[in-house]
């Protein structure tokens, strides 16, 4: 036996049932596997390790897969007797990524606006079904200031902010406190953020000492609010002096 045939270059367990067919695409330098777990997987070899970059699920166990020599199309056979062929559009794709999308092997990447719209849709669905806690968590992990701020304002309008903030885990509450601390000194957000602090302290005040992270973040918020109040007091004193000077100049 030739040297190297008994030693695998790489191995991985990426299917949950027997792998029954393999096809290699030289064009994309990828391996396509089919198995009895109803799945076809696209695999790449990276740094000596096999990685799955996409999975396509079928209704029945997949018994074979065959790829066109130029990777223009691939065929899949299932135990149900179904034979499915996936073909690219007649016009040549402008990139490898587009070719894979057309073949159905990878999903098209959403734009930032599409991702944001999708997340907003999830939040609206949560609000409409009165799942306020899920709406808050979805808004929080959207990682978008406008999304989180508008969600908090909507919860305040509905009078359900306390419901949304109840039973959140420490990590979520800490991130909300950080968000409120960051925006509390912005005049357009001050009232909203102070409402957030009020609700959080009312709910979690009795147990804040049990969470060092939450305790630390609330201390930071307290200092930030104190600094803002000091600035406002200084502004008020300056306004008083200016008013006194302006009034005296009228005589």
């Amino acid at each position: 036996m030739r040297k190297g045939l008994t030693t695998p270059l790489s191995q991985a367990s990426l299917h949950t049932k027997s792998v029954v067919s393999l096809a290699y695409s030289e064009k994309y330098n990828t391996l396509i596997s089919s198995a009895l777990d109803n799945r076809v997987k696209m695999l790449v070899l990276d740094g000596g390790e096999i990685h799955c970059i996409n999975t396509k699920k079928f209704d029945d166990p997949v018994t074979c897969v065959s790829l066109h020599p130029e990777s223009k199309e691939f065929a899949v056979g299932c135990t149900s007797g179904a034979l499915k062929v996936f073909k690219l559009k007649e016009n040549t794709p402008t990139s490898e990524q587009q070719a894979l999308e057309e073949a159905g092997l990878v999903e098209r990447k959403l734009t930032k606006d599409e991702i944001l719209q999708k997340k907003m849709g999830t939040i609206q669905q949560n609000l409409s079904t009165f799942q306020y806690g899920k709406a808050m968590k979805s808004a929080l992990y959207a990682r978008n200031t406008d999304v989180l701020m508008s969600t908090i304002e909507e919860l305040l309008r509905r009078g359900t902010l306390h419901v949304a903030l109840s039973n959140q885990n420490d990590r979520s509450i800490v991130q909300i406190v950080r968000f409120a601390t960051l925006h509390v000194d912005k005049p357009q957000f001050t009232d909203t953020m102070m409402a957030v602090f009020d609700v959080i302290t009312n709910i979690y005040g009795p147990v804040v000492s049990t969470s060092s992270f939450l305790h630390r973040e609330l201390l930071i918020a307290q200092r930030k609010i104190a600094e803002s109040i000091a600035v406002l007091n200084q502004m008020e004193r300056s306004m008083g002096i200016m008013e006194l000077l302006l009034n005296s100049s009228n005589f």
Side-chain angles (χ1 to χ4, degrees):
M1 184 175 291
R2 293 181 181 178
K3 182 180 179 181
L5 293 181
T6 58
T7 304
L9 295 175
S10 182
Q11 60 184 25
S13 297
L14 301 173
H15 287 277
T16 58
K17 293 186 179 180
S18 298
V19 176
V20 293
S21 184
L22 295 169
Y24 178 70
S25 170
E26 184 176 359
K27 181 177 180 180
Y28 302 128
N29 192 28
T30 57
L31 186 68
I32 301 175
S33 63
S34 65
L36 300 181
D37 59 2
N38 299 24
R39 287 166 173 78
V40 169
K41 292 180 179 286
M42 174 169 280
L43 314 171
V44 294
L45 184 63
D46 182 19
E49 296 184 358
I50 298 176
H51 298 285
C52 177
I53 60 174
N54 205 270
T55 299
K56 189 171 184 66
K57 185 178 180 181
F58 293 83
D59 294 332
D60 304 291
V62 183
T63 55
C64 63
V65 62
S66 181
L67 188 68
H68 188 280
E70 297 180 5
S71 298
K72 292 182 177 180
E73 55 194 17
F74 70 97
V76 171
C78 302
T79 56
S80 62
L83 177 64
K84 300 181 181 181
V85 179
F86 297 84
K87 187 175 182 179
L88 298 176
K89 293 181 179 179
E90 293 182 0
N91 55 322
T92 303
T94 57
S95 67
E96 175 180 325
Q97 176 68 21
Q98 185 177 346
L100 297 177
E101 291 170 1
E102 296 289 351
L105 293 175
V106 296
E107 296 181 358
R108 180 180 66 84
K109 289 185 177 180
L110 299 177
T111 65
K112 289 183 178 180
D113 288 341
E114 288 173 332
I115 293 173
L116 189 59
Q117 287 297 322
K118 186 176 181 179
K119 290 177 178 178
M120 286 297 297
T122 300
I123 294 169
Q124 290 298 328
Q125 177 66 24
N126 291 334
L127 290 172
S128 65
T129 54
F130 312 109
Q131 299 181 76
Y132 302 121
K134 286 186 177 180
M136 175 62 79
K137 186 158 289 187
S138 297
L140 182 62
Y141 291 103
R143 302 186 185 281
N144 182 283
T145 299
D146 293 336
V147 170
L148 183 53
M149 191 67 71
S150 62
T151 301
I152 292 173
E153 290 173 346
E154 176 61 20
L155 290 167
L156 275 171
R157 187 187 69 81
R158 295 180 179 219
T160 55
L161 182 61
H162 65 289
V163 178
L165 293 177
S166 298
N167 300 317
Q168 296 282 354
N169 58 38
D170 284 359
R171 181 181 178 184
S172 296
I173 292 299
V174 164
Q175 290 190 341
I176 293 169
V177 170
R178 288 176 179 172
F179 179 82
T181 303
L182 181 64
H183 297 284
V184 70
D185 60 346
K186 297 178 174 63
Q188 67 271 35
F189 300 138
T190 298
D191 290 344
T192 301
M193 296 300 96
M194 289 305 298
V196 170
F197 285 129
D198 287 343
V199 173
I200 288 177
T201 52
N202 286 336
I203 296 174
Y204 298 98
V207 296
V208 69
S209 60
T210 63
S211 172
S212 59
F213 296 108
L214 180 56
H215 185 265
R216 181 187 63 190
E217 294 302 325
L218 287 175
L219 285 176
I220 294 173
Q222 184 185 45
R223 288 195 293 268
K224 180 73 172 290
I225 294 171
E227 290 171 0
S228 298
I229 292 174
V231 171
L232 290 174
N233 289 336
Q234 181 62 43
M235 291 174 63
E236 186 176 5
R237 286 194 295 271
S238 297
M239 287 293 294
I241 294 172
M242 291 174 64
E243 184 177 0
L244 181 62
L245 291 173
L246 290 172
N247 289 337
S248 63
S249 65
N250 293 329
F251 294 101

